Amino acid sequence: MEQLRTIGRELAMGSQGGWGQSKEFLDLVKSIGEARSKAEEDRIIARELEHLKRRLADPDVPRRKMKELLLRLVYAEMLGHDASFGHIHAVKMTHDESLPLKRTGYLAVALFLDERHDLVILVVNTIQKDLRSDNYLVVCAALTAACRLIGEEAIPAVLPQVVELLAHPKEAVRKKAVMALHRFYQRSPSSISHLVSNFRKRLCDNDPGVMGATLCPLYDLILEEPNSYKDLVVSFVNILKQVAERRLPTSYDYHQMPAPFIQIKLLKILAVLGSGDKQASGHMYTVLGDIFRKGDTASNIGNAILYECICCISSIFPNPKMLEAAAETTSKFLKSDSHNLKYMGIDSLGRLIKINPDIAEEHQLAVIDCLEDPDDTLKRKTFELLYKMTKSTNVEVIVDRMIEYMINITDHHYKTEIASRCVELAEQFAPSNLWFIQTMNKVFEHAGDLVNIRVAHNLMRLIAEGFGEEDEGADSQLRSSAVDSYLRIVGEPKLPSSFLQIICWVLGEYGTADGKYSASYIIGKLCDVAEAHLTDDTIKAYAISAILKIFAFEIALGRKIDMLPECQTLVDELSASHSTDLQQRAYELQALLGLDKRAVESVMPADASCEDIEVDRNLSFLNSYVQQALENGAAPYIPESERSGVISVGSYRSQEQQETSAHTLRFEAYEMPKPSLTLATSQVSMSTPPTDLVPIPDPGYYKEDHQTSRSQPSGDAISGEFGVKLCLDGVQKKWGRPTYSSSTPSSSASSQQATNGGSHSDGGGSTSSQARESSYGSKRQQGTEISAEKQRLAASLFGSAAAKADRKAQASRKASKESASAEKATASSAAPQPIKEQVIPAAPAPDLLDLGDEPVSSAPPSADPFSQLEGLLGPASATPVVSGALATSTSKAPDLLSIFSDDVPTGATSGSTDPALGDVNLMSSHKGATAAAAKKGPSLQDALQKDATARQVGVTPTGNNPNLFKDLLG
């Protein structure tokens, strides 16, 4: 508004010859004012823009002349034409040292640009400089431009300087600084959330203009959080009282009203703070009563203040005297001849009846006059008032008037609003179901496409359920009246689609129920509806379903009905339709005609539209069939929640396809596998050939069977040589974490060579690759679930000592293959191996199930792996572990069968209770080793005898050995 006044002053000064305005500019304004059409005005502006483009391209344009050219550009752009070619010249003018030119430049920039324009970056630096100027007029111009051009990103650049200007000695600067902070708050509340207290301080400013400007940001803050500003109620009331008592300078008066805009803003603030607060409202009653007594109804601004007082009284805690004063003022508004005052009176009455509905009774005639007024705006406002006044005693009159008004208007938006209000009032205050159906018929007939489809379903449900009482006669009369009304309406043209759906449904359900109309007559009407709407598949579907119901009811009653030619034509047409839904309905009708009476009664029971459909989600009727299939050997159903635990190629393929189709990165962690003992066992049985030996897995280890099954290498190369595949599912591994091998068939040789960790380089390429794959398979499988710290620990355990042990084992096997005494030496030197196999490889393990190579003696390891872990376990725990290990190595012989026996649960379970602990649990392994040694004793002869038995089993793989796992598992 201030910018437009500035332009007016500039133009007025130009008309008086001020600042060198040319006659050319005055002629432009005059010619535009005298233009008789928009086309003529566009031609004048286009010609002027071409002229300005040539003049601005001249580098020798004087500065004062440039000012006039910019004003002419502003004039052209305000008329809706593009003058962007001159925006850069406005930016340049903001740098001018001359005050009139700088203000003109800021004015033009504020009108040309916005916060998202690319040229704003060139103005921010100028605004920062001008905010520090000694000339307060320059500072005011910069603040005005900042309100328009400073966006959220540039607020921190000027915010400190604007805050400093709140204490400027000039009241105009302080006022504009408050306005700038308010604008910054509107654009980015978080940027000045720490400066909210400054608004409280400026509320006490000595200048009324600064105080009035502070009310605007405080109003926005109070709307967000009223409770934080309850303490300011007394201050606002005192300010309003001083303003109403004319204590402000007369320069703030408007039409002899003291500071009316400050009063209006204060009343808005008090309405928010006093809402539901009796104590805060008590401070306001006195000043509100004074405003009512001093109110001037002779001027518009006085009426505006009185209207705002009524709004305030309707929001705060109610007071009888205040409500009486507000009702009296509202009556004056309604009795006025001005449509504007009547509009205010209707709105005020709508606010007051929420508190006291009796207030509207004394204004009934005034409301009716407004309802019949030719002013459409006043009439709509009156309907809003009637909508708020509706109750069960007046709903019929109000809804009828609203429907009548809805029929005569063409505004679809307001027609939709009126229709929804009619439906809402009819559903809430309907005196009878018959009236409700008739009202809904009118609404659907004249605004059916604008009504929510839910209303149509509610209407059909009401007709089907009736009055909800035991009086069947009343329900039958209701449905009969609905059929009569729909048969009268169905022939009218341009009925809405939703209304035709209701008509078809009602005629199909109850068209022949009372015997008043024949089935042929109803079917003919339905065929006419379908033929009249050939492009609407929904209506045709409702029509053919209604015809099917009529045929079914007639057949159930034993009546014979002939197919009408138009009905047969409709059925043939729908049977060949492109819509599968219409085809199905047509075929169902044809199939129904071939059924007998009993079958039709079962398929289409009479009056079953209100019956609840029970859905058996568990499909219990299939239980006998499923049980019979299971007894015949069918696979049981796997719930979807457990299918992720099944290892199959199909699951991997589906997962890969799903990940490929997603085309997005997955940031969530991988889910842990959910294995099942039953699933793993059934899969092993399906994937194993008949000649394989399938063990019964121990239930104590089923949790880890699925985890290790992926990393176990196949033994096809070796098993192919001997013609047998050894299934080691359920056999405990001897290296790494205590677990069982996978369901992949492998020979005993490949299994033992892989688990013992030897580096097989005796010519069998497949054997060595299997060994390497098995040795590091568990690491690859656990790569996604082991933390970095645990990976470093695993690398320190298996990276140095294990490598040395592998090399020594390889050298020892190549040295000699025929010494029987070397076998005893090897067994005695590696005695701790079967006990610590779940933790770390402390020494080269004896190859007890080697199929071809006989082990020879080897020197003890030069480096003790337990001594390497002293830094990890600390000085307190390293020493007993080492001593325990050495004691065990000197007194315990290798016992292969003790691993698989039931006598050693401690060592097995200690390492497998928590898979997240990684591959090592030194203390639990030490306890298990000690317990096993105490139970078995250092019987070397027993150990060698068991070893010989195991070797005898392993070196005869040419035939099936059914006692293999029996021997191994004891």
Side-chain angles (χ1 to χ4, degrees), residues 63 93-102 129-130 138:
R63 292 190 302 171
M93 188 166 286
T94 59
H95 301 86
D96 202 292
E97 298 297 333
S98 175
L99 178 60
L101 297 180
K102 180 180 287 289
K129 184 185 68 174
D130 291 339
V138 175

Side-chain angles (χ1 to χ4, degrees), residues 537 540 571-583:
D537 290 347
K540 290 192 291 186
V571 172
D572 295 339
E573 178 186 351
L574 297 183
S575 300
S577 174
H578 293 289
S579 173
T580 56
D581 178 56
L582 295 179
Q583 285 187 17

Side-chain angles (χ1 to χ4, degrees), residues 130-193:
D130 291 339
L131 288 177
R132 295 188 293 265
S133 176
D134 296 334
N135 191 337
Y136 79 95
L137 295 177
V138 175
V139 177
C140 290
L143 287 172
T144 303
C147 293
R148 168 70 177 169
L149 301 177
I150 299 301
E152 183 177 358
E153 297 80 6
I155 287 177
V158 298
L159 183 59
Q161 300 172 13
V162 175
V163 175
E164 293 177 2
L165 293 176
L166 291 174
H168 198 276
K170 283 291 183 179
E171 60 276 1
V173 176
R174 298 199 301 271
K175 177 181 177 181
K176 289 187 177 292
V178 171
M179 295 170 61
L181 285 179
H182 183 204
R183 186 61 173 166
F184 295 164
Y185 171 78
Q186 289 177 340
R187 294 191 176 179
S188 178
S190 60
S191 300
I192 65 166
S193 58

